[in-house]
Amino acid sequence: MPDAAYYFPPVIRGVGEAARAAGIRIVLGTTNYDPREEIHQLARLDAGGADAIMLVTARPGVDDVTTWQAIAGIRTPVVLVERSADGAPTTLRVDSVRSDHGFGAELAVDHLAERGHRGVGLLLRETATAPWVADGHRRATRRHGMTDAPVVFAPSLRWGDGSTSDVLRGFLDDCLAAGIRAAVVLPDDLAVSLLGIAEGRRLRVPEDFAIVAYDDEIASFATVPLTAIAPPKLAVGRRALEACLARLEQGDLAPSQRIQLTPTLNVREST
């Protein structure tokens, strides 16, 4: 996986729990979002006798030739985790287990619509999850006939760089100018920052502006505990291990699996 610090620890726990129950040893490797290191580690694990590989790709989208060539170039079965197998060559047998983040975004918009909001802004950091969340937000706002609202991508954080705060301030300005009083924000830390900016302007959350965070890693610790969409990370890990077992037990006789698990909504004080 690209990173074992944020989001993925529950996935690792889910894998570990299922592996212990099955008497399987798990070896963890991280790539630091380096595609070259990913290719190297795939080859190393394959040569080292791994029975199966669970892979969270370094690239946000895996519909690229390099990724598929790397998977096709090894003998070991591969299960993609929190990534999609869409775009893989039809000759490549690869399974995938991921959260249905589009559904999660729809869940958030539906929740805000039930509370009377006729428009919902969307603030995203550029992550692998972001395109799915954006698609779900678009579907749900159209389904509800909502007013067009700002959709903004925030840059990745850099030490000492204030550009993210500027983007958040601009996003809040644009929402208020358009009469939008609610937003879905991915990930949690961006939602907490938006909350701080809103409070700095004497806006009450949720009375003046409602916020739904996406990921639910730290959302409950905000000054106003944030309602959040929680992807089923533990379950994703367990199901990924089970998909590996099915592939090992049945080989090519097992049909390829593309499993999507639905997130849940944890309602707190911000809505």
Side-chain angles (χ1 to χ4, degrees):
M1 55 180 50
D3 178 16
Y6 181 85
Y7 188 93
F8 294 114
V11 177
I12 297 170
R13 283 202 308 277
V15 168
E17 290 172 3
R20 280 192 296 274
I24 290 173
R25 177 175 177 244
I26 297 297
V27 176
L28 175 65
T30 57
T31 63
N32 296 310
Y33 291 93
D34 183 349
R36 296 166 301 177
E37 179 61 20
E38 178 177 290
I39 293 169
H40 169 73
Q41 289 205 32
L42 284 173
R44 180 177 63 83
L45 290 168
D46 181 51
D51 296 300
I53 296 172
M54 287 167 282
L55 172 64
V56 185
T57 60
R59 297 174 184 83
V62 294
D63 54 344
D64 63 272
V65 174
T66 304
T67 298
W68 304 133
Q69 286 178 340
I71 294 172
I74 62 176
R75 299 158 297 174
T76 309
V78 172
V79 175
L80 296 174
V81 182
E82 286 295 28
R83 298 292 189 262
S84 172
D86 292 348
T90 54
T91 54
L92 185 62
R93 190 175 293 273
V94 59
D95 302 304
S96 66
V97 180
R98 70 175 183 88
S99 303
D100 186 347
H101 295 296
F103 176 86
E106 291 190 68
L107 198 60
V109 173
D110 287 353
H111 171 72
L112 291 165
E114 288 170 2
R115 277 146 183 77
H117 292 280
R118 303 310 307 152
V120 176
L122 180 63
L123 179 63
L124 303 158
R125 185 166 292 138
E126 294 174 336
T127 67
T129 306
W132 289 321
V133 172
D135 285 345
H137 174 269
R138 183 166 50 251
R139 286 195 301 270
T141 53
R142 287 176 178 172
R143 175 160 45 82
H144 287 289
M146 287 187 167
T147 304
D148 287 342
V151 176
V152 173
F153 283 82
S156 297
L157 294 172
R158 291 187 178 89
W159 180 256
D161 178 13
S163 61
T164 299
S165 296
D166 292 339
V167 169
L168 265 63
R169 293 186 187 96
F171 172 77
L172 185 58
D173 287 340
D174 291 344
C175 284
L176 297 176
I180 304 299
R181 294 294 184 270
V184 178
V185 186
L186 166 78
D188 283 6
D189 65 301
L190 211 59
V192 171
S193 296
L194 182 65
L195 171 65
I197 289 171
E199 290 181 324
R201 296 187 182 183
R202 310 281 179 138
L203 293 173
R204 300 167 300 160
V205 175
E207 293 86 353
D208 301 321
F209 198 87
I211 298 174
V212 177
Y214 199 106
D215 274 353
D216 207 16
E217 291 280 320
I218 58 170
S220 64
F221 300 112
T223 51
V224 177
L226 297 173
T227 293
I229 299 297
K233 301 162 200 167
L234 274 168
V236 165
R238 294 192 194 104
R239 290 297 294 273
L241 194 280
E242 291 167 4
C244 286
L245 284 175
R247 180 61 58 203
L248 291 173
E249 290 169 356
Q250 302 175 46
D252 290 341
L253 295 176
S256 295
Q257 299 184 74
R258 298 187 179 184
I259 300 168
Q260 295 186 65
L261 305 180
T262 55
T264 55
L265 173 74
N266 291 325
V267 179
R268 301 189 182 99
E269 295 174 26
S270 68
T271 58

